[in-house]
Amino acid sequence: MPPTMSQINDPKIAFAYLRPACVLLTKEPTVTNVETLSEQLKDVHDASLQQLQEYVLFPLRFVLKVPGQKKEKLVQSVAEAVSYVLERTCVQSWDTLRDLFSELCICLCSPTDPGKPADTSEELKSAVLRCMDALLHAAYGDIVFRLYEPVMLPGMGAALSLLLAVGEKDKSRDIQAAALKCLQSLILHCDCTQEHVVPSWDERCSVGGTMASFLPGITSAAARIISGDLRQGHAVTVRAIKVWSRSVGLVMEDSQLQRSKSCNTPSPDLGRIGQLVVQRTPDWVKGTAGKLCVLLKRIISCTSAHQHWRVRMEMVDLADHLLATCGQSLKECVGPLLEALVGAINDEEPRVRERCEVALRDVSQRNQSGTSSKNLTDVLSENLHSLATSLPRLMRTSDDQKKLFVLNVFLGYLKVLGPLVSVVLNSAAHLDRISKALMQVLELDVTDVRIVEERSYTDPIESSSGSHDSHTAHTQRKHFLYFTNEKIFSVLMEICRTLGYYGNIYVLTDHLLDLYRQSSAYRKQAAIVLNELVRGAAGISVAVQAKCLDRGEFQGLSASTEDLKAAVVSIMEEYTSLSNWHLITVSEETDTDRQDQQLLSPFRLQSISSSEIISNTSNSLQVIPSSSASPPTSSSVSTIHQLNSNIWQLCIQLEGVACFAQALLHDFRPLLMTSLYPVLEKAGEETLLVSQAALSTMMDVSKSCGYSSTKELINDNSDYLLNDISVNLQRLGQHPQAPRVLMVMLAHSDCNLLPLVRDIVQDVLMSLDLSYDHSAALFCSVLHALMKALARWFPPSYCRTSKLPSFKTSADQEDFDIRQFLLDYHKQKELAEGIGIEVDETEDLEAPPPLECDDADDAGGPDVKAELPSHLSIAKDVMERCIHLLSDPSLRLRLKVLDVLEVCVYVLSEREDELLPMAHRCWPALLQRLTADDPLAVLRAFRVLCTLGETCGDFLRRRVSKEVLPKLSSSLARQAPISAKAGPVYSHTLAYKLQLAVLQGLGSLCQRLDLGEADLDVVSEACLPYLSCRQPTRLQEACLSVFQHLIQVDPDSFWFTLNEIHCPSSYTPPHPDLQPLQLSGMGRPRDEYSDNVLKLLREEFTSDSQTDNRL
């Protein structure tokens, strides 16, 4: 027939058209004949095909009935042809439906073992399953329900077993999904887009009664599929969940079980088949519900945290469907089902969350009538208690994904209960179990030795200018024993905030503070929970559930501002108490501790109040007994774990102060009087983690209280802070942290603080005068911080009489006049020989003296010395003390004093008339540090010398030339052969650091002091060995910097010196009368000095050589 012909509408013509192919297929059952018939069927209209259905299906079914082994391709072609017919027609004959259903099942099963699927090709299985699905959809009217009559139980059981086996064991995902889809059709819950037969009540009851016989097999096999290998794909898992939930919903439906007597009426004529019929009695229902609960828990554990959101969505549908249809019959399953729903409230997929909210809303609405709402609340609270009981075990034994799900379930219960959380927590058992669970889960890992080792060596003045991010970026995150995932920690924190939001803040605070006091094992965890409770009570970072079990209006937050403030005050008092705030955080007693202990011993404590010193002239020492001065016992030596625990406790409590400020905002300002001083104490802590946490807290507090910066925070509260410091400095035995508070204030404030802090500075200086041998080490750090602050607040504007020698290379000279050069040279030579010196002196006498810039404003006024500004007066007083302490026997103290002295010189450089006398006074002690001291002190003293050279200029030229340069030069010359032969480890030695520091500062010092030719020769001779390529790289670089400065002072001399070592090219005289220039470096082969010499000549004298070539 022509392929372009339209479909045949007349049944008679269609019969005549199809008859030859049908007859041929009956005689010769081959693949070709089946395909021929299939092609002709496409030319027949569906209406005509409906009338010819039996006739067309007969040869196809005949092929399947032919005894003997049949080729898979033939069976596949037949199944595809039958599928085509069934998809376009309706099956109106029960016999056709029954026989064809049986024949398709035979095609699926194994010939040798009918109970198992045949080991056939995927194509054949797919075609047969598609045909079976088309058959079940094509069944017309009520004939499909005859499949569920008791007499069909054996056949139905065989079909279900085959489909379940294929769905569970087949290796193809598509085959598994197709088999499960057929199962959905058999339980009358197909989810395709075709029209389906809607059963009546009796028909539904009949189907439910029949499927009850197979419920154990269906649910067990489906559960195995659901919990199977993840590689099977989410589509198979979703289908299996649908089969499980719909089959259970069909059999255990509450409305059916209430009328089960009228539904289950088995005929006595069934014989042995009657034994397969299940009577859904109450005992059967109870036993089945218990077994289903076991399977349900396994399914929930496998799917609730599944990686694909469609599987999690289907679990929500399962829970919603079973709670809606089987709430009474599956009472044991209500808890797990609610757990599955509650766990999906916080799902990362919005569609799952929305579906879950709808399901929970429906659950809440169904439980509004009578006492059901109370029952649901009881179930949720019991589940919450049970979960809290098992939470520590689950957190220890489960993987991260399971832990995250369990915590999401916990959080979901709290959100679903909503305001009823406060009612649940009125139960002492619930409150104790939940709090203990959080204590165990949040246990910190305190075994990391790096925590106690890290020290905050960063200059507080430099670090104070950093942003909030610069502090938080280095804050080490907490390490917990039972989890490492940040998502788990965030969910735990949300649980705490939700408890604070819905719970009674007084009940929770009192209970957790009791745990905080009871055991040190719970102290850190209790503090973490308390911090988040307060934030939650303030509504910070809380996701409020729109639909809770409590249908009434939720009146805002659970705690008012007054309640919050009262809770914060009680927590802050506990945090900042002596036993919980002043914890040991250092692993061993350092020199500082020993010296501070000497200072704070009961017979050496003194008052540093100047008023008391004046009034008690007869006995200036005031003895203050102190319990802290008792000798340490062996039990007081802390382990590393205990020290880490103390560090974390302080950090958590500092974070708590920030949380409280965020909760109260401007209402926290009155609490600053009691909280800011302790925070500043910890900001000056030696332990890095604690100091960073305190600095971060200061920033958070300033932001929450409405201050623009920590500087404004400290300035605005400086009056009572300084009052506390002043009082505490008089009782250092009880308050040894007072100097640290002053240091932090200085580091984070501005010059407005100076008038307020001046009296305290005088007290500190007076204390140094009276007992410098004991208190110097304690207060030197304070003085260093003070001078750093003054240097930052009052940067000096230099006005020096000595000017830097200016040297202009020929690159800056537009023209070079050799005649003028020779005339100047001749004049200088005559002056050197004494010719014309009288004329030069006369000219010098006639020249007006230079005006000093400092005295310019005082011209014409009375000769009265103006009063020094406060900062200069303080710097001068501090420098006076430094001069006396420079010779202290303690190396550590000398190093501190040198640091303070360096900053004093910098601050006083603004007034040269004040600086130069002080420099003269400190020179002898400084010289001793430079020439006869420990290398560490020499290193620090040379840095002070460089600063003096920068500020004092030629005032120090003669002293440096006679007393310092010979020592430094001989030291450099002595160490040069050692460093040239040393290996890479040498760079970590003190000798190397001293060499590097001297080389880095020597060039600028020589240039600033404008040293003479002889001194420059000494320096050059000492530094030349460091131009060797055998020296460490950094020493070579430092030596290059020395020569770069020296070239600025005397370019000609050092050009000649470098060319004597290595001359890269010969110089031709510009005129024949001039003698050729002969240098020692000419023609010399390349050696260890060549590279650095060439680098200096190229960088410093390139333009000069071009000028020489022009000559």
Side-chain angles (χ1 to χ4, degrees):
M1 193 169 188
T4 57
M5 184 177 180
S6 61
Q7 289 186 318
I8 303 171
N9 292 322
D10 190 343
K12 294 181 180 181
I13 299 175
F15 175 76
Y17 176 61
L18 296 174
R19 184 173 179 275
C22 291
V23 172
L24 182 61
L25 179 58
T26 306
K27 292 178 179 179
E28 298 178 11
T30 62
V31 175
T32 304
N33 292 338
V34 175
E35 292 177 349
T36 301
L37 178 59
S38 298
E39 291 296 324
Q40 291 183 357
L41 287 173
K42 296 177 183 178
D43 298 326
V44 179
H45 194 269
D46 293 349
S48 301
L49 190 59
Q50 176 66 52
Q51 298 185 32
L52 299 174
Q53 184 193 61
E54 294 286 344
Y55 181 79
V56 172
L57 289 177
F58 175 79
L60 296 171
R61 290 172 55 196
F62 181 79
V63 172
L64 298 178
K65 290 180 179 179
V66 171
Q69 189 72 24
K70 291 179 281 293
K71 294 181 179 180
E72 289 186 4
K73 183 63 176 176
L74 177 61
V75 178
Q76 178 185 342
S77 301
V78 171
E80 291 173 351
V82 173
S83 298
Y84 181 85
V85 174
L86 295 176
E87 287 169 356
R88 286 159 179 78
T89 60
C90 295
V91 177
Q92 299 174 344
S93 169
W94 160 243
D95 294 334
T96 302
L97 175 63
R98 179 193 58 203
D99 296 343
L100 194 52
F101 185 72
S102 300
E103 291 161 3
L104 291 174
C105 289
I106 292 172
C107 292
L108 277 178
C109 68
S110 172
T112 57
D113 189 357
K116 295 182 179 179
D119 186 14
T120 56
S121 65
E122 293 182 5
E123 291 79 7
L124 175 58
K125 291 178 184 177
S126 179
V128 173
L129 290 170
R130 176 189 168 194
C131 187
M132 184 178 291
D133 186 63
L135 175 65
L136 293 174
H137 282 82
Y140 181 77
D142 57 353
I143 64 166
V144 70
F145 296 106
R146 297 185 64 180
L147 285 173
Y148 304 96
E149 292 178 351
V151 71
M152 287 296 296
L153 283 175
M156 179 62 73
L160 291 172
S161 299
L162 277 172
L163 293 173
L164 287 170
V166 173
E168 180 181 0
K169 299 177 180 178
D170 201 273
K171 296 179 180 179
S172 170
R173 296 181 183 180
D174 295 335
I175 302 298
Q176 287 179 289
L180 293 171
K181 186 176 184 301
C182 288
L183 281 170
Q184 286 181 259
S185 299
L186 282 174
I187 59 176
L188 302 182
H189 278 285
C190 182
D191 56 357
C192 67
T193 56
Q194 300 181 41
E195 293 185 5
H196 301 88
V197 177
V198 179
S200 64
W201 168 252
D202 292 336
E203 290 168 342
R204 183 173 180 80
C205 188
S206 174
V207 173
T210 301
M211 298 307 293
S213 301
F214 312 114
L215 186 64
I218 294 175
T219 52
S220 299
R224 288 195 299 271
I225 298 172
I226 295 168
S227 59
D229 195 343
L230 291 175
R231 290 176 294 181
Q232 69 187 4
H234 73 277
V236 175
T237 306
V238 168
R239 291 279 183 192
I241 295 173
K242 288 182 177 180
V243 169
W244 199 96
S245 64
R246 296 311 185 268
S247 59
V248 172
L250 179 65
V251 176
M252 304 295 289
E253 188 175 9
D254 292 337
S255 57
Q256 287 189 42
L257 296 177
Q258 291 170 3
R259 300 173 58 186
S260 58
K261 292 183 179 179
S262 60
C263 293
N264 293 316
T265 55
S267 172
D269 300 332
L270 293 175
R272 293 182 61 186
I273 295 177
Q275 299 176 5
L276 300 176
V277 178
V278 170
Q279 298 293 330
R280 291 183 284 178
T281 61
D283 292 339
W284 179 89
V285 171
K286 184 177 180 181
T288 304
K291 296 173 183 177
L292 289 174
C293 187
V294 175
L295 292 175
L296 181 63
K297 289 179 180 178
R298 191 172 80 181
I299 291 172
I300 292 174
S301 66
C302 295
T303 58
S304 51
H306 198 278
Q307 59 186 4
H308 201 283
W309 69 270
R310 291 190 184 276
V311 175
R312 303 195 299 273
M313 175 81 86
E314 194 57 42
M315 274 307 303
V316 174
D317 288 336
L318 178 147
D320 186 33
H321 177 72
L322 295 185
L323 286 172
T325 58
C326 315
Q328 297 299 319
S329 60
L330 296 178
K331 287 184 179 180
E332 295 182 38
C333 299
V334 171
L337 290 172
L338 283 175
E339 180 179 317
L341 275 182
V342 167
I345 284 181
N346 304 297
D347 196 277
E348 59 185 13
E349 175 59 42
R351 286 168 285 193
V352 178
R353 290 200 301 270
E354 293 170 4
R355 179 68 183 88
C356 182
E357 290 178 3
V358 172
L360 285 171
R361 191 182 309 125
D362 294 341
V363 171
S364 179
Q365 290 173 352
R366 285 194 297 269
N367 286 272
Q368 291 304 310
S369 59
T371 60
S372 58
S373 178
K374 180 181 178 181
N375 293 336
L376 182 60
T377 304
D378 291 343
V379 171
L380 290 172
S381 61
E382 289 171 7
N383 284 5
L384 186 61
H385 184 277
S386 175
L387 184 59
T389 303
S390 60
L391 187 60
R393 174 181 57 81
L394 293 172
M395 293 298 289
R396 287 193 299 267
T397 58
S398 306
D399 58 8
D400 280 1
Q401 199 172 22
K402 176 66 175 177
K403 291 174 185 176
L404 196 58
F405 169 71
V406 170
L407 292 174
N408 275 322
V409 171
F410 197 107
L411 178 59
Y413 282 132
L414 298 178
K415 289 184 176 181
V416 173
L417 285 168
L420 296 176
V421 166
S422 59
V423 179
V424 173
L425 294 180
N426 285 335
S427 165
H430 282 79
L431 180 59
D432 185 65
R433 178 53 57 194
I434 291 173
S435 59
K436 289 288 181 64
L438 290 173
M439 295 303 100
Q440 295 177 55
V441 169
L442 286 169
E443 186 173 353
L444 284 160
D445 180 8
V446 294
T447 59
D448 190 357
V449 71
R450 291 173 298 176
I451 296 172
V452 74
E453 284 180 344
E454 289 187 275
R455 290 287 177 265
S456 54
Y457 295 118
T458 306
D459 194 326
I461 294 176
E462 295 174 0
S463 64
S464 65
S465 61
S467 63
H468 184 274
D469 295 336
S470 66
H471 292 288
T472 56
H474 300 288
T475 302
Q476 189 169 354
R477 70 181 182 89
K478 301 177 185 67
H479 296 278
F480 296 90
L481 275 181
Y482 302 123
F483 62 89
T484 56
N485 195 333
E486 281 293 327
K487 290 183 179 179
I488 294 175
F489 178 67
S490 64
V491 174
L492 279 168
M493 294 301 96
E494 190 174 356
I495 288 173
C496 298
R497 291 193 294 271
T498 307
L499 283 170
Y501 187 80
Y502 290 119
N504 186 309
I505 188 66
Y506 289 110
V507 173
L508 290 167
T509 302
D510 290 344
H511 182 74
L512 286 163
L513 281 177
D514 286 341
L515 289 176
Y516 182 92
R517 300 184 190 102
Q518 282 174 11
S519 171
S520 60
Y522 290 159
R523 198 160 292 155
K524 297 180 292 297
Q525 302 92 298
I528 292 174
V529 177
L530 280 168
N531 297 345
E532 294 302 317
L533 280 178
V534 172
R535 295 183 75 223
I540 300 173
S541 301
V542 178
V544 183
Q545 189 69 18
K547 299 295 180 180
C548 306
L549 294 183
D550 187 359
R551 301 293 291 177
E553 292 186 7
F554 182 44
Q555 301 295 330
L557 302 178
S558 60
S560 63
T561 304
E562 290 74 17
D563 295 337
L564 269 179
K565 187 177 289 187
V568 166
V569 169
S570 62
I571 298 172
M572 285 281 298
E573 288 177 353
E574 194 66 36
Y575 280 2
T576 57
S577 63
L578 188 64
S579 59
N580 295 323
W581 195 256
H582 299 289
L583 303 176
I584 300 173
T585 59
V586 290
S587 57
E588 60 185 5
E589 190 181 32
T590 60
D591 291 340
T592 309
D593 302 324
R594 285 192 290 270
Q595 293 187 23
D596 292 352
Q597 191 66 28
Q598 291 176 1
L599 169 66
L600 302 179
S601 60
F603 298 104
R604 288 178 176 174
L605 286 174
Q606 65 166 13
S607 169
I608 61 173
S609 171
S610 57
S611 60
E612 291 186 13
I613 290 171
I614 295 172
S615 61
N616 296 295
T617 55
S618 60
N619 184 9
S620 59
L621 293 180
Q622 178 185 3
V623 178
I624 302 176
S626 173
S627 60
S628 64
S630 58
T633 63
S634 59
S635 61
S636 65
V637 180
S638 302
T639 64
I640 296 296
H641 293 184
Q642 183 59 47
L643 294 172
N644 284 345
S645 178
N646 292 345
I647 291 170
W648 279 123
Q649 182 180 334
L650 289 174
C651 291
I652 293 166
Q653 291 173 173
L654 285 165
E655 291 172 4
V657 177
C659 292
F660 305 153
Q662 292 171 0
L664 293 176
L665 298 177
H666 284 269
D667 292 324
F668 190 77
R669 283 197 175 195
L671 302 181
L672 288 174
M673 296 186 68
T674 56
S675 61
L676 186 55
Y677 186 92
V679 173
L680 293 180
E681 279 185 347
K682 297 308 169 187
E685 183 77 31
E686 187 180 357
T687 306
L688 179 65
L689 214 61
V690 176
S691 62
Q692 284 183 339
L695 290 173
S696 179
T697 298
M698 288 168 57
M699 295 175 185
D700 291 336
V701 168
S702 62
K703 182 179 179 181
S704 301
C705 293
Y707 297 106
S708 60
S709 63
T710 54
K711 179 176 69 176
E712 185 181 351
L713 170 70
I714 291 176
N715 287 345
D716 198 51
N717 299 278
S718 58
D719 48 355
Y720 62 81
L721 285 173
L722 291 173
N723 180 67
D724 289 345
I725 293 172
S726 179
V727 173
N728 292 339
L729 282 174
Q730 299 178 31
R731 296 189 292 272
L732 284 173
Q734 288 79 21
H735 306 281
Q737 305 292 332
R740 287 182 178 175
V741 180
L742 181 57
M743 288 173 59
V744 175
M745 286 189 67
L746 292 170
H748 295 83
S749 187
D750 57 17
C751 58
N752 295 322
L753 187 67
L754 184 59
L756 299 174
V757 81
R758 187 170 183 177
D759 292 339
I760 294 179
V761 173
Q762 294 304 319
D763 289 347
V764 174
L765 294 175
M766 184 67 70
S767 174
L768 278 173
D769 293 340
L770 294 176
S771 57
Y772 64 88
D773 52 339
H774 303 305
S775 59
L778 184 65
F779 292 110
C780 259
S781 298
V782 180
L783 295 179
H784 190 222
L786 171 65
M787 297 313 302
K788 282 282 191 182
L790 293 180
R792 178 164 48 92
W793 298 342
F794 305 99
S797 55
Y798 297 121
C799 181
R800 304 189 185 93
T801 57
S802 59
K803 301 296 181 182
L804 283 175
S806 60
F807 163 63
K808 293 184 179 181
T809 63
S810 56
D812 300 324
Q813 299 173 356
E814 294 181 0
D815 296 311
F816 182 78
D817 190 349
I818 191 170
R819 179 177 179 276
Q820 185 62 41
F821 172 78
L822 294 174
L823 289 174
D824 292 341
Y825 175 77
H826 180 68
K827 181 179 180 181
Q828 293 297 329
K829 188 174 181 182
E830 287 182 341
L831 288 174
E833 295 174 355
I835 303 173
I837 192 170
E838 295 81 3
V839 179
D840 189 65
E841 288 179 354
T842 305
E843 292 176 356
D844 290 343
L845 290 173
E846 293 175 356
L851 292 176
E852 294 187 2
C853 59
D854 288 342
D855 299 330
D857 297 335
D858 298 334
D863 191 12
V864 178
K865 189 174 182 179
E867 184 179 355
L868 280 177
S870 296
H871 68 285
L872 296 179
S873 176
I874 291 174
K876 188 176 179 181
D877 292 341
V878 173
M879 193 168 178
E880 287 274 3
R881 274 69 178 184
C882 291
I883 294 171
H884 296 294
L885 293 174
L886 272 177
S887 301
D888 192 271
S890 169
L891 172 62
R892 186 171 180 276
L893 179 58
R894 295 200 303 274
L895 295 176
K896 279 189 174 183
V897 171
L898 286 168
D899 286 338
V900 178
L901 183 62
E902 181 184 1
V903 190
C904 288
V905 171
Y906 176 77
V907 174
L908 282 174
S909 61
E910 185 176 340
R911 289 289 184 92
E912 197 174 62
D913 56 341
E914 299 290 343
L915 173 61
L916 296 183
M918 297 303 297
H920 173 74
R921 291 184 57 194
C922 78
W923 179 256
L926 181 62
L927 182 62
Q928 287 296 314
R929 306 287 74 76
L930 281 166
T931 58
D933 206 335
D934 187 274
L936 274 174
V938 175
L939 190 64
R940 207 72 58 91
F942 183 75
R943 199 168 66 190
V944 177
L945 177 64
C946 292
T947 306
L948 279 170
E950 286 289 323
T951 53
C952 297
D954 54 4
F955 177 77
L956 295 177
R957 183 189 303 139
R958 186 170 175 273
R959 303 169 192 253
V960 172
S961 174
K962 285 190 174 184
E963 299 170 347
V964 177
L965 275 184
K967 296 279 188 179
L968 294 179
S969 300
S970 63
S971 175
L972 286 176
R974 187 170 56 252
Q975 284 297 121
I978 300 174
S979 59
K981 298 176 182 178
V985 182
Y986 182 73
S987 61
H988 299 283
T989 63
L990 189 58
Y992 168 83
K993 294 175 182 178
L994 182 59
Q995 283 175 285
L996 182 62
V998 171
L999 288 171
Q1000 287 176 337
L1002 190 56
S1004 60
L1005 182 65
C1006 293
Q1007 184 180 3
R1008 173 59 63 187
L1009 299 182
D1010 196 14
L1011 294 177
E1013 185 175 348
D1015 294 327
L1016 295 181
D1017 288 342
V1018 172
V1019 173
S1020 172
E1021 192 70 24
C1023 293
L1024 278 175
Y1026 293 94
L1027 289 177
S1028 170
C1029 62
R1030 296 175 183 174
Q1031 296 284 349
T1033 304
R1034 293 194 65 190
L1035 293 183
Q1036 294 181 51
E1037 294 172 353
C1039 182
L1040 289 174
S1041 71
V1042 173
F1043 277 95
Q1044 287 167 355
H1045 284 93
L1046 295 180
I1047 289 170
Q1048 298 296 317
V1049 179
D1050 192 350
D1052 294 339
S1053 173
F1054 286 99
W1055 177 88
F1056 183 77
T1057 300
L1058 293 173
N1059 277 279
E1060 285 287 300
I1061 299 172
H1062 181 80
C1063 184
S1065 59
S1066 60
Y1067 295 94
T1068 304
H1071 194 274
D1073 293 340
L1074 297 175
Q1075 294 293 327
L1077 184 63
Q1078 295 294 330
L1079 297 172
S1080 301
M1082 287 183 177
R1084 182 175 294 178
R1086 189 181 186 86
D1087 58 12
E1088 58 188 284
Y1089 301 98
S1090 302
D1091 290 343
N1092 286 320
V1093 170
L1094 286 173
K1095 185 175 182 180
L1096 284 171
L1097 292 173
R1098 183 169 54 250
E1099 292 179 357
E1100 302 297 326
F1101 296 101
T1102 300
S1103 53
D1104 285 332
S1105 60
Q1106 292 173 355
T1107 302
D1108 293 339
N1109 291 335
R1110 289 198 304 270
L1111 295 178

